[in-house]
Amino acid sequence: MQPLSGEKCTKKCYDPKTGWWVHVCSTDRLTLYAAHPSRGRKALDAIGIAPAFRGISVHDGLKSYQSYGFTQAWCNVHHLRELTYVEEELKQEWGHKMKELLLSMKDEVERANVSGKQEVDLLVLACLLRHYDEILAEGYRANPPPPPPKKSEQGKRKPGRAKQSPARNLLDRLSQGKWMVLRFLHDFAVPFDNNQAERDLRMIKVQQKVSGSFRTEEGIAMFCRIRSYLSTLRKQGIALFPALDHVFSGTPVLPAFS
């Protein structure tokens, strides 16, 4: 089974003031678009793929994906963007080091693939993982935990935990989700990122820029269904215009579902 990419984009639907979300689940052979007013778990449950999927899903790491039965892998392009912010805006060297390390890991996987290997050499892998932990430790030293919440006038601490900096939040993500971040390093079938889903969303964004919004729920549902069909046909090398002729004549071309 091919790893599944998942991503979302905003799309206004039938009420110009109401922001809906267009979700996409895709592989290199299949595409499914679906629109829903929710960005999170309510939408994923309604679409129906996440609750039933048991393969590997590459996504942006939102909490909405947690506790489903599939194996998770996090998109590292998202991490590179955040690390660039840490490096360039916060002037923290560990951000640059982690960026370089993730890209080095990607290169090692590509070299092993070209050589026909099924895994990265164990000594190289151990060195990369040790370096990963060392950079995290450096990052935590540069970003100590925030002080506890201040006490109120009555002498009681405010409920909840103290707000962390973006850099420390990223460190926690890279540390606590280490194996989801690095799944591509251990399983060559898993891509480094979820660019498949990002590419599949581009046409949705183009349509949004051209027409602005849909005016009915039925309209966006029909659009997602048609785009899902056409995108899947294109990925499988099926000519679109002859396929549409078959659709209108009542004998639609059915793509392979694997």
Side-chain angles (χ1 to χ4, degrees), residues 106-120 188:
K106 182 174 181 286
D107 290 341
E108 286 294 339
V109 169
E110 290 173 355
R111 278 194 288 270
N113 258 323
V114 169
S115 301
K117 297 179 180 179
Q118 301 299 314
E119 58 185 21
V120 175
F188 288 3

Side-chain angles (χ1 to χ4, degrees), residues 194-229:
N194 69 343
N195 282 352
Q196 178 69 65
E198 298 275 1
R199 289 192 298 269
D200 288 331
L201 276 175
R202 285 176 187 163
M203 182 54 67
I204 303 294
K205 297 301 291 184
V206 169
Q207 196 280 339
Q208 181 179 12
K209 291 177 181 178
V210 171
S211 62
S213 66
F214 291 99
R215 298 300 175 182
T216 66
E217 183 176 344
E218 181 183 13
I220 195 171
M222 291 173 62
F223 177 84
C224 287
R225 188 177 306 141
I226 294 169
R227 287 300 314 171
S228 298
Y229 180 64

Side-chain angles (χ1 to χ4, degrees), residues 137-206:
E138 179 182 341
Y140 275 117
R141 288 193 296 271
N143 297 275
K150 295 181 180 179
K151 293 183 179 180
S152 64
E153 294 180 357
Q154 291 76 27
K156 296 181 180 180
R157 293 194 183 279
K158 296 181 180 179
R161 64 179 185 177
K163 184 178 180 180
Q164 295 192 142
S165 67
R168 190 169 177 93
N169 286 335
L170 178 57
L171 285 162
D172 285 348
R173 176 186 177 86
L174 296 174
S175 175
Q176 297 167 14
K178 176 179 179 179
W179 302 117
M180 288 174 277
V181 174
L182 301 182
R183 196 168 301 281
F184 76 97
L185 186 62
H186 300 274
D187 184 348
F188 288 3
V190 178
F192 180 77
D193 51 50
N194 69 343
N195 282 352
Q196 178 69 65
E198 298 275 1
R199 289 192 298 269
D200 288 331
L201 276 175
R202 285 176 187 163
M203 182 54 67
I204 303 294
K205 297 301 291 184
V206 169

Side-chain angles (χ1 to χ4, degrees), residues 14-242:
Y14 82 83
D15 179 355
K17 296 181 180 180
T18 302
W20 275 45
W21 295 86
V22 173
H23 300 250
V24 60
C25 298
S26 62
T27 69
D28 59 355
R29 289 177 55 79
L30 300 168
T31 307
L32 175 73
Y33 298 103
H36 198 277
S38 169
R39 183 189 187 192
R41 193 177 183 96
K42 185 176 181 181
L44 299 177
D45 287 341
I47 293 167
I49 291 180
F53 186 61
R54 291 300 178 268
I56 299 172
S57 177
V58 185
H59 56 76
D60 57 8
L62 285 178
K63 290 184 178 180
S64 306
Y65 295 106
Q66 307 304 319
S67 78
Y68 283 117
F70 52 72
T71 301
Q72 300 191 47
W74 290 350
C75 171
N76 281 295
V77 167
H78 285 76
H79 297 141
L80 294 180
R81 292 172 189 156
E82 294 182 62
L83 289 165
T84 297
Y85 171 81
V86 171
E87 175 191 2
E88 296 182 357
E89 300 297 325
L90 303 183
K91 309 301 181 183
Q92 296 187 10
E93 180 64 19
W94 74 268
H96 172 73
K97 292 179 180 179
M98 184 61 80
K99 270 176 57 180
E100 293 298 310
L101 177 61
L102 289 174
L103 293 172
S104 294
M105 290 175 169
K106 182 174 181 286
D107 290 341
E108 286 294 339
V109 169
E110 290 173 355
R111 278 194 288 270
N113 258 323
V114 169
S115 301
K117 297 179 180 179
Q118 301 299 314
E119 58 185 21
V120 175
D121 180 81
L122 286 179
L123 292 178
V124 174
L125 179 62
C127 182
L128 292 171
L129 294 177
R130 184 176 67 252
H131 195 190
Y132 186 89
D133 291 337
E134 290 170 351
I135 295 172
L136 287 178
E138 179 182 341
Y140 275 117
R141 288 193 296 271
N143 297 275
K150 295 181 180 179
K151 293 183 179 180
S152 64
E153 294 180 357
Q154 291 76 27
K156 296 181 180 180
R157 293 194 183 279
K158 296 181 180 179
R161 64 179 185 177
K163 184 178 180 180
Q164 295 192 142
S165 67
R168 190 169 177 93
N169 286 335
L170 178 57
L171 285 162
D172 285 348
R173 176 186 177 86
L174 296 174
S175 175
Q176 297 167 14
K178 176 179 179 179
W179 302 117
M180 288 174 277
V181 174
L182 301 182
R183 196 168 301 281
F184 76 97
L185 186 62
H186 300 274
D187 184 348
F188 288 3
V190 178
F192 180 77
D193 51 50
N194 69 343
N195 282 352
Q196 178 69 65
E198 298 275 1
R199 289 192 298 269
D200 288 331
L201 276 175
R202 285 176 187 163
M203 182 54 67
I204 303 294
K205 297 301 291 184
V206 169
Q207 196 280 339
Q208 181 179 12
K209 291 177 181 178
V210 171
S211 62
S213 66
F214 291 99
R215 298 300 175 182
T216 66
E217 183 176 344
E218 181 183 13
I220 195 171
M222 291 173 62
F223 177 84
C224 287
R225 188 177 306 141
I226 294 169
R227 287 300 314 171
S228 298
Y229 180 64
L230 295 178
S231 176
T232 297
L233 292 183
R234 181 178 287 112
K235 287 179 178 180
Q236 297 188 15
I238 300 172
L240 299 188
F241 285 110

